[in-house]
Structures are given as structure tokens and as C-alpha cells.
Amino acid sequence: MKMSLYVSVFCCATSYAIMAQAVCTPAPDCASLGYKMTAADCTGQITVKCPTDTSKVFCKVKAKEEVETAAILYGDGTVTKQLLSNKTPIGIVFDEINHLAMALTDVKKDGTAGTEGIYWLSYYYDIPSLENCSNSEIPLGTNLTPISCGADGKDNTNKILACGSSCGNTPAATTANNYQPTSCVKDFCKKSNWFLPSLRDLQNIYLQKTQINASLALLSGYGATAIKDSWYYWSSTEYSNMIAWSFRMSDGFRSPNDKSTSSYYVRPVIYYSEANSVAELPILYGDGTTSKEILTDKTPIGIVFDEDNRLAVALTDVKKDGTAGSETVYWSNNYHDIPSLENCTDDSIADSISIPVTCGTDGRSNTDKILACGSGCGGTPAATAVNSYQPAGCTQNFCKKTKWFLPSLRDLQNIYQLKKQLDATLSLLNNFETTNIGTKYYWSSTEYGDTYAWTFLMDGIRNLDDKVTQSYVRPVIAY
């Protein structure tokens, strides 16, 4: 049974000898511990739940001046939120699900970077096979409901261009399709691959305008310009033979306008491949190298979570026999105080993760001491499982059996602090055997005493558990 620290330490009605010595005091209330918010107050932030009332939480709310940035698309197809000095940016990601990025700048009639008013068509024509989207499918004004009509900008643009001379002239679509940033080094971003965004694309850009403009400001040295608030942008979504949809970036106003209006802007959009993405955290490969790039000639074996101490966590949990997979195990088969292993009580490890862990922090040393106890401790399943692990991609001695260890409580907390980035990086490696961190309890190698060891709940809670309780294990390696 899982017990929060306050429940296990402050409760006097227990038969365990270690608890018999505890001084019975009322559990502190959540507010006094700093848990004064609700989940709604912390949307999008790392949230820590109060152990005695999980409806009360704590999070670090971003200051108003801290503006999140959008991911950057580079000319070689890589995507990351980092500003990479060895690559040149060509766009800003605004739709990760559909892998869409917008150009760093508006374009002029000749397809070069710059701002210039452009017609949608030179005269009135209903584009063959292009879906007509009236205000019955798309409400007018600032009603930002989801858009499903005429939503594929690439398909729309292809149909507009296919009309060719039959339509007289197609300046907006042609302009976007002729764009090619100077730093494009792969085929995906060359001429004919950029397109006129759909109305849905423009709305998605508007909904992330703050983050996008923050990234564009960082890239001003590359010619990036902010999204214009002052007027409308053309979409590739058609209304009728005379009218196409436009979008005003100042307030999110959807508007059907005469196709011959010549004062609206064009911002090209591009599709990028997910395979070209850069991981959010460094990947550890089986030859000992680390990189945020997905390297096709190497096999990943872990993800770096502590660069200072050169530690990486395995791509997967492990089972009792040390093979990849999720299976709960005991910390030890019976109660025993591991010789020379530091006991870390609630005096040395506070329940709140806002206070750093300084006791029992060396997972390698802890694991070695646990294993040395061996049969004298009646068996040490958690430490033995991780120490028996060896990933298939390991080609050097540093990552073979006996090199992996049970993380310390500090290691698990560091993993938790990077859980979002870890799970995002794991998702990029789904061609390999991986399991997400999730919200599971994991055993640490940090001991409390003869009866208890520390676990970490990946919802953000340090926890004490009976050593014969079953929790998951995730190996860690020093590289």
C-alpha cells in the first residue's frame, strides 16, 4: 500500500518498530506547506500535489515577462526549440500534429521575402474541385471554433495552381509556391513545396501568435519579421467564385473577401517530416556518443537527464529478469538494513520536492552496496533487475550488464522534472523498445531503514514504502 510521508510518519497506529519512535504530531495542512493552488491555476505547468489533499497543488507560474517560444524549423529539416548556431532557420512550427511551419517572413509578388499586397485571383472564377466554404460551414467574425472545411492548405494550393491560365491568374497561391528561403538545403523546402495556408492554418497561427512572434523576434538576424496585425492575410480556403477567406491577425477575425482585393498579405506554409525532428534532450547511443539528432547509423540506449553528472535513463522499464518491459518488483525480499548504506529519514529528506535531495544521492554506490548484501538480505530484486539489464544496442563495455544501476531518489526527481521532455524524446524513438515514464511509482536506491526505502511517484511526490511493496524500476547509466 502506498503511503505519503505524512501519513506514514505522523500516524502512531502502526506496528512497525521504526514508526514506534515517531513523535505524534498533527499533519501540517496543505496551505502551510505551500500547496495553495488548484489544478486549473497550473495548467501547462509542472504540478505537485499536496500529499494529504490532492486537490491542493503547487506550481511555478511563469512570470508575465517569461514568454514561451514556438519550435524552429531549420533548412535541413530539423525541428527544435533551441537556437542552433550550426544550422539556419527557415520557419516556425505552428501545428506539430500536422507537421506544419510558417515562413519567417511574408512574401512579395515575385516570391521573394517582403511585405506586399497581393490579389487572390485576377478575376472571378470558381476553382474546379476546390471545396466552397460558406459562412454556414465557417462562422464569420471572431468566432474561433474549429475549422474543418477547406482545411488542407497544400491540397487547396495545388487545385488553385492547376486551374492555371483558365483562372486568368492566381497571384496569392503562385507567390507562396514560388518562395524558397536562401538557407533551404533539402528538397522539402524548395520552390513548389511552400503553399498558401488554409483558413484553419491561419487560425492556428493566430492562436499561437505570442509564442510565434517571440521566436520570430529571436530570429530577426535571419530576416524574420513579426506577423502583421494591421491587415488581413489570404487563405487558400475558397468561399465562392468571387470570394475567398481571409484572416485578420489583430483580433482573429474571419472574413470572406473579394478575390480581386489587392491589399492582403501572404505568408507561406511548409510541411516538414517528423523524422527530421531533433530530440528535446540528448540521446545516449550504444557507442557512448550523445546527440539531440536522430542518428540513423547508431542505436539509442538511453536519454540524458543529468549532464552535470553524466547520467542517462534507459529507454524502458525492466522486468524481474532484467529484460525490457514494465513489471513491478520488491525492493528486497525481507527486512534488512543494508550495511554501510546511508539511512535517509524524513529528517534528511523532506516530503516537498521544492527542497533538494542531498542524502543517498549516488545511485551507483547505493546499488553496489545493496547488491553486496546479496543473500544476506534475502534477495534484492529491484537492484538485481537493473544491474542485469543490457540494451540490444550496447556496443561498448560502459553499458553492458552490471553497469546499469537503480537510480537514487535525487535521480528520480531529476527525471521527473524533465518528464515532459523525456516522454517527447521517447516518442521520437518509438521504432525502438521504449516505455514512457507516465505516472508510476519507481523504486530508488535510497534507503530509509531496515523496513522502508524511498520511491518516487511520477506525479511529483517523494514517498516511503515498505521494502516488500512492489513498484517499477528504471535503470540508469553513467556515460
Side-chain angles (χ1 to χ4, degrees):
M1 178 179 178
K2 302 293 178 186
M3 300 183 295
S4 74
L5 181 61
Y6 289 115
V7 173
S8 59
V9 173
F10 289 102
C11 178
C12 296
T14 176
S15 60
Y16 294 120
I18 192 167
M19 293 302 173
Q21 301 174 10
V23 177
C24 291
T25 60
D29 62 31
C30 292
S32 68
L33 295 170
Y35 299 94
K36 301 177 181 179
M37 304 175 183
T38 66
D41 298 323
C42 296
T43 302
Q45 311 299 322
I46 294 175
T47 301
V48 184
K49 297 177 181 177
C50 177
T52 56
D53 180 357
T54 56
S55 69
K56 304 298 182 184
V57 301
F58 167 81
C59 66
K60 180 187 175 185
V61 179
K62 290 182 179 179
K64 290 182 179 179
E65 63 272 13
E66 294 183 67
V67 178
E68 186 178 352
T69 56
I72 301 166
L73 173 66
Y74 289 89
D76 63 354
T78 57
V79 174
T80 178
K81 284 194 173 184
Q82 292 190 314
L83 189 57
L84 304 176
S85 59
N86 62 335
K87 298 177 186 288
T88 307
I90 62 168
I92 303 295
V93 174
F94 68 88
D95 187 340
E96 293 184 6
I97 295 175
N98 294 300
H99 307 132
L100 298 176
M102 53 171 273
L104 298 181
T105 177
D106 300 339
V107 291
K108 297 188 290 186
K109 294 183 182 74
D110 61 2
T112 60
T115 300
E116 189 173 42
I118 299 173
Y119 294 114
W120 201 91
L121 278 184
S122 57
Y123 66 80
Y124 303 131
Y125 200 91
D126 195 352
I127 305 296
S129 73
L130 185 59
E131 185 176 15
N132 284 171
C133 302
S134 69
N135 53 300
S136 61
E137 288 89 16
I138 302 175
L140 304 179
T142 55
N143 182 345
L144 298 178
T145 53
I147 298 171
S148 58
C149 185
D152 187 337
K154 181 66 175 174
D155 183 62
N156 294 347
T157 302
N158 287 340
K159 289 173 179 174
I160 296 168
L161 294 172
C163 191
S165 58
S166 299
C167 299
N169 200 355
T170 55
T174 300
T175 293
N177 204 233
N178 283 340
Y179 176 65
Q180 179 177 316
T182 55
S183 49
C184 171
V185 297
K186 295 288 182 73
D187 287 341
F188 85 97
C189 55
K190 292 185 177 177
K191 285 184 180 180
S192 78
N193 289 315
W194 294 83
F195 54 90
L196 192 62
S198 68
L199 192 66
R200 182 185 68 180
D201 295 336
L202 291 173
Q203 180 163 300
N204 285 338
I205 290 169
Y206 170 76
L207 292 171
Q208 299 168 77
K209 188 174 68 168
T210 300
Q211 299 94 312
I212 289 170
N213 276 339
S215 292
L216 289 169
L218 290 174
L219 303 178
S220 59
Y222 298 93
T225 58
I227 300 166
K228 301 292 187 298
D229 279 341
S230 57
W231 208 241
Y232 291 90
Y233 281 90
W234 278 124
S235 81
S236 57
T237 304
E238 190 177 44
Y239 186 100
S240 67
N241 65 325
M242 298 179 64
I243 297 171
W245 284 92
S246 63
F247 196 96
R248 189 166 62 201
M249 287 293 170
S250 59
D251 56 4
F253 192 86
R254 304 164 172 175
S255 177
N257 283 99
D258 192 304
K259 291 177 179 178
S260 63
T261 301
S262 62
S263 55
Y264 292 179
Y265 302 131
V266 170
R267 177 81 70 144
V269 165
I270 192 74
Y271 170 83
Y272 65 91
S273 171
E274 183 178 25
N276 291 319
S277 296
V278 170
E280 294 195 31
L281 293 174
I283 298 165
L284 174 65
Y285 290 93
D287 63 354
T289 58
T290 62
S291 175
K292 286 192 174 184
E293 305 238 9
I294 310 296
L295 305 176
T296 57
D297 59 335
K298 299 176 185 284
T299 305
I301 62 169
I303 299 173
V304 176
F305 69 91
D306 186 340
E307 294 189 71
D308 291 339
N309 294 299
R310 297 180 62 81
L311 298 178
V313 62
L315 300 181
T316 177
D317 300 341
V318 294
K319 297 187 287 187
K320 295 183 183 74
D321 61 2
T323 59
S326 291
E327 184 177 52
T328 56
V329 300
Y330 295 126
W331 199 88
S332 62
N333 290 330
N334 58 34
Y335 303 128
H336 199 95
D337 194 354
I338 305 296
S340 74
L341 185 60
E342 185 177 13
N343 284 172
C344 299
T345 66
D346 54 295
D347 292 327
S348 52
I349 296 180
D351 189 53
S352 173
I353 66 169
S354 63
I355 301 173
V357 177
T358 57
C359 183
T361 58
D362 187 338
R364 176 75 269 173
S365 174
N366 294 348
T367 302
D368 288 342
K369 290 171 182 175
I370 295 167
L371 293 171
C373 191
S375 59
C377 296
T380 54
T384 300
V386 295
N387 202 236
S388 300
Y389 175 64
Q390 180 176 319
C394 174
T395 60
Q396 303 291 327
N397 286 332
F398 85 95
C399 54
K400 292 186 176 177
K401 286 184 181 179
T402 75
K403 302 296 185 180
W404 296 82
F405 55 88
L406 194 61
S408 68
L409 188 65
R410 183 184 68 181
D411 294 336
L412 289 174
Q413 180 162 312
N414 287 339
I415 289 169
Y416 166 74
Q417 299 286 8
L418 294 170
K419 187 176 74 165
K420 182 179 178 181
Q421 296 95 312
L422 276 165
D423 279 347
T425 304
L426 286 168
S427 69
L428 293 176
L429 303 176
N430 58 10
N431 289 333
F432 302 92
E433 193 161 19
T434 63
T435 53
N436 282 359
I437 301 297
T439 56
K440 293 171 279 191
Y441 278 95
Y442 282 96
W443 277 123
S444 80
S445 56
T446 304
E447 189 181 45
Y448 184 97
D450 59 348
T451 307
Y452 294 95
W454 289 91
T455 59
F456 196 96
L457 173 62
M458 286 298 167
D459 263 344
I461 296 176
R462 303 165 177 171
N463 205 77
L464 278 179
D465 273 299
D466 191 301
K467 290 179 178 179
V468 297
T469 300
Q470 294 197 348
S471 289
Y472 294 96
V473 289
R474 186 86 166 210
V476 164
I477 193 78
Y479 62 92

